[in-house]
């Protein structure tokens, strides 16, 4: 086990740690150690590339059990990455906190443990439970989610035209926030509009953003909204979890499969940033190694099994939207590199339109910090943020006997029209059949549409 000492060697040259400040702004500006840069003398240490390299060196030190080096780098980062700085500093601060949390779990330094506890309490306070109005506003802040909503709705409307009943299975990180836009589109474009059957997986996991009402209450609000658009809607919640590949949901859908086929219902599987929470590993059965996991082959993974089960339902269309990044590496350093070079994007977008100190910015960046900490400080079943890039999901879908269908020009025009409501840095491009949201030319979120082969 890595042992973190209370002071840095050589002991005769370095004073004791300062007493632990309880205010997060004081915490990040704690007194520096002799021989290391101060906020006034960091120079190029404030450069994004340098901060990334410091984080990588710290991760390497943690993986190689070099407690002294890791603790030194953490202290340097503590002085050059304030939580209220520019976007690169705030990004680095998120990784600093995650590395402190990881170091506290594997070491014995009381200060690091106390710092990690302060940070955990701070993040818990920022883990806001949204009202419906707040969540709708949160989702509308950027195209991060709206891009997938717009592209998916356009593809689904084309696929279900002519059906009298449309059954939507919504696996969404945003608690059905896409559904009102779908209802609106359906009420104006399809005449007469079909009956909507909406099924959601009621998971008990607390993934942000979190909602302050139950799914049953949410369902009543959606039914009333559909009624206001002259659409009949049925809402069901199936208790099911991503931890087991939504097995309860799959079993329930299998029971309805033949009824749906006889009644000529369209079945829409809408997966919006939720499938990457399905584990792609099988946990070890050794009780002495609860954190150890063994990667299975692609054919045996829960993700593959879930997609093959969906294929067996013969859906009318499957929509898969997710973030285009790779957080699956077993190497801490590799995950850190990938996460740092992806998660700068939301921090950068915040600076383009949200003032410092705003509630919306606080909520948005707390959501990103939760993701960073999960990717960096956790292993085994606790590490649930396991994003895979578009290329990997495309291959998984093809292996499960789906074929991709392109988004129409009308769908892309709708996405572009939506992006006009946001900052100038956002864009959309087509990659073969897929649509990709970009920020300043960098891939952010992908949207894909699939039919059974």
């Amino acid at each position: 086990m890595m042992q973190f000492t209370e002071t840095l060697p050589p002991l005769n040259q370095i004073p004791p740690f300062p007493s632990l400040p309880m205010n997060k702004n004081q915490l990040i500006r704690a007194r520096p150690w002799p021989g290391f840069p101060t906020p006034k003398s960091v120079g190029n240490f404030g450069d994004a590339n340098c901060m990334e390299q410091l984080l990588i060196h710290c991760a390497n030190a943690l993986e190689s059990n070099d407690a002294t080096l890791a603790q030194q780098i953490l202290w340097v980062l503590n002085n050059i990455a304030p939580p209220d700085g520019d976007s690169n500093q705030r990004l680095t601060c998120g990784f600093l906190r995650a590395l402190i949390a990881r170091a506290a779990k594997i070491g014995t330094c009381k200060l690091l443990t106390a710092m990690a506890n302060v940070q955990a309490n701070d993040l818990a306070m920022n883990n806001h439970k949204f009202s419906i109005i707040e969540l709708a506003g949160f989702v509308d802040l950027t195209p991060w989610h709206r891009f997938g909503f717009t592209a998916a709705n356009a593809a689904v409307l084309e696929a279900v035209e002519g059906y009298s009943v449309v059954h939507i299975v919504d696996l969404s990180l945003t608690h059905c926030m896409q559904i009102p836009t779908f209802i609106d589109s359906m009420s104006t474009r399809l005449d007469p509009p079909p009956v909507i059957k909406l099924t959601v997986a009621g998971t008990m996991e607390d993934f942000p953003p979190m909602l302050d009402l139950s799914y049953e209450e949410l369902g009543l609000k959606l039914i009333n909204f559909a009624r206001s658009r002259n659409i009949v809607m049925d809402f069901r919640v199936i208790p099911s979890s991503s931890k087991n590949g939504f097995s309860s949901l799959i079993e329930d859908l299998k029971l309805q499969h033949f009824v749906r086929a006889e009644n000529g219902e369209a079945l829409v599987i809408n997966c919006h940033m939720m499938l990457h929470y399905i584990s792609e590993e099988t946990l070890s059965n050794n009780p002495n190694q609860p954190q150890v996991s063994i990667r299975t082959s692609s054919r045996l993974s829960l993700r593959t099994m879930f997609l093959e089960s969906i294929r067996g339902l013969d859906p009318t269309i499957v929509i898969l939207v997710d973030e285009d990044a790779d957080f699956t590496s077993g190497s801490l350093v590799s995950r850190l590199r990938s996460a740092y070079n992806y998660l700068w994007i939301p921090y950068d977008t915040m600076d383009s339109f949200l003032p410092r100190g705003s509630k919306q910015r606080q909520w948005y960046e707390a959501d990103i910090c939760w993701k960073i900490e999960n990717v960096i400080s956790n292993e085994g079943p606790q590490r649930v943020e396991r994003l895979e890039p578009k290329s990997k999901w495309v291959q998984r879908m093809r292996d499960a006997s789906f074929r991709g269908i392109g988004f129409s020009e009308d769908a892309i025009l709708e996405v572009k029209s939506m992006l006009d409501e946001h900052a100038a840095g956002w864009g959309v491009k087509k990659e073969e059949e897929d649509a990709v949201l970009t920020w300043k030319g960098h891939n952010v979120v992908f949207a894909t549409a699939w039919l059974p082969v």
Side-chain angles (χ1 to χ4, degrees):
M1 174 181 291
M2 182 185 296
Q3 301 293 311
F4 282 92
T5 58
E6 291 298 321
T7 55
L8 273 179
L11 297 177
N12 62 345
Q13 295 181 16
I14 297 181
F17 281 95
S19 59
L20 179 68
M22 297 306 291
N23 177 279
K24 65 179 180 180
N25 292 324
Q26 293 174 329
L27 178 66
I28 209 69
R29 296 189 179 93
R31 175 158 43 93
W33 290 337
F36 289 98
T38 66
K40 294 183 179 179
S41 63
V42 293
N44 289 333
F45 276 84
D47 175 78
N49 290 331
C50 180
M51 289 191 284
E52 180 186 2
Q53 289 305 310
L54 284 170
L55 290 169
I56 289 170
H57 287 317
C58 185
N60 269 317
L62 290 175
E63 286 198 308
S64 61
N65 291 333
D66 190 339
T68 299
L69 178 59
Q71 198 164 319
Q72 288 174 341
I73 298 172
L74 286 172
W75 196 259
V76 175
L77 288 165
N78 192 44
N79 283 281
I80 65 174
D84 56 354
D86 62 29
S87 60
N88 290 323
Q89 290 172 320
R90 301 198 309 279
L91 171 67
T92 302
C93 178
F95 281 88
L96 164 65
R97 293 180 171 196
L99 288 169
I100 288 174
R102 185 182 181 95
K105 291 176 183 177
I106 60 177
T108 58
C109 174
K110 294 179 181 178
L111 179 69
L112 285 177
T113 302
M115 289 173 75
N117 289 337
V118 170
Q119 293 172 180
N121 291 335
D122 185 47
L123 284 175
M125 290 175 62
N126 286 333
N127 235 352
H128 178 69
K129 285 197 172 185
F130 292 85
S131 69
I132 285 288
I133 300 299
E134 287 175 340
L135 184 57
F138 177 83
V139 167
D140 285 345
L141 280 176
T142 74
W144 207 278
H145 293 291
R146 292 189 71 198
F147 161 77
F149 292 176
T150 306
N153 288 351
V156 170
L157 284 172
E158 292 175 9
V160 303
E161 189 170 0
Y163 285 90
S164 59
V165 179
V166 176
H167 184 180
I168 304 170
V169 179
D170 192 48
L171 298 175
S172 171
L173 189 65
T174 59
H175 309 288
C176 301
M177 287 297 101
Q178 179 178 349
I179 302 304
T181 64
F182 181 74
I183 291 172
D184 264 337
S185 297
M186 186 169 286
S187 66
T188 58
R189 298 189 190 182
L190 301 182
D191 187 21
V195 172
I196 298 177
K197 295 170 62 176
L198 178 61
T199 298
V200 300
T203 99
M204 300 304 293
E205 296 138 325
D206 292 328
F207 301 144
M210 293 184 290
L211 200 57
D212 70 349
L213 76 165
S214 69
Y215 271 111
E216 287 75 13
E217 294 171 304
L218 175 62
L220 288 174
K221 291 181 180 296
L222 289 172
I223 289 172
N224 289 332
F225 179 80
R227 186 180 296 124
S228 73
R229 300 299 190 270
N230 296 315
I231 290 180
V232 176
M233 181 174 170
D234 175 58
F235 182 89
R236 295 188 318 136
V237 181
I238 306 300
S240 195
S241 170
S242 59
K243 291 180 180 178
N244 58 15
F246 298 107
S247 59
S248 299
L249 175 68
I250 293 295
E251 289 305 312
D252 181 86
L253 293 174
K254 284 180 179 177
L255 292 175
Q256 298 185 60
H257 175 63
F258 295 106
V259 174
R260 178 186 69 82
E262 291 175 1
N263 293 341
E265 296 179 3
L267 176 61
V268 176
I269 310 294
N270 184 58
C271 305
H272 184 89
M273 299 191 186
M274 182 61 80
L275 294 197
H276 70 260
Y277 287 111
I278 298 177
S279 174
E280 99 288 18
E281 295 179 337
T282 298
L283 300 181
S284 168
N285 292 323
N286 186 342
N288 298 319
Q289 293 180 304
Q291 301 300 320
V292 175
S293 58
I294 305 171
R295 185 163 303 225
T296 66
S297 70
S298 174
R299 296 297 297 175
L300 298 178
S301 74
L302 275 177
R303 295 184 183 186
T304 296
M305 292 169 62
F306 172 81
L307 295 178
E308 290 179 345
S309 296
I310 291 297
R311 173 61 186 86
L313 299 173
D314 195 27
T316 308
I317 189 170
V318 176
I319 303 293
L320 173 55
V321 176
D322 218 320
E323 296 162 311
D324 198 6
D326 189 351
F327 295 171
T328 59
S329 174
S331 162
L332 173 62
V333 171
S334 295
R335 288 203 310 275
L336 189 149
R337 282 183 186 275
S338 182
Y340 193 88
N341 285 284
Y342 177 72
L343 292 174
W344 69 270
I345 296 172
Y347 279 97
D348 195 47
T349 63
M350 289 300 97
D351 283 351
S352 69
F353 70 99
L354 278 180
R356 295 186 181 187
S358 71
K359 283 285 187 185
Q360 289 85 355
R361 181 153 149 175
Q362 179 184 349
W363 294 336
Y364 205 92
E365 295 192 357
D367 182 84
I368 308 166
C369 283
W370 184 91
K371 186 186 295 282
I372 292 172
E373 180 161 350
N374 190 267
V375 170
I376 299 301
S377 70
N378 294 308
E379 296 294 348
Q382 284 73 41
R383 182 161 61 84
V384 298
E385 280 288 344
R386 296 174 181 266
L387 289 172
E388 289 185 314
K390 178 172 75 74
S391 58
K392 182 70 173 182
W393 282 111
V394 166
Q395 191 58 53
R396 285 187 184 277
M397 293 298 289
R398 289 173 178 166
D399 289 346
S401 298
F402 287 97
R403 64 178 178 88
I405 56 172
F407 290 92
S408 68
E409 288 302 317
D410 286 343
I412 298 300
L413 286 175
E414 285 189 49
V415 171
K416 289 180 178 178
S417 177
M418 179 273 296
L419 294 181
D420 288 340
E421 302 173 19
H422 296 279
W426 294 105
V428 61
K429 65 181 181 181
K430 293 190 71 173
E431 292 184 351
E432 297 180 346
E433 295 95 352
D434 313 321
V436 180
L437 175 70
T438 62
W439 171 254
K440 297 180 179 178
H442 298 270
N443 286 16
V444 181
V445 175
F446 66 86
T448 59
W450 302 86
L451 299 179
V453 173

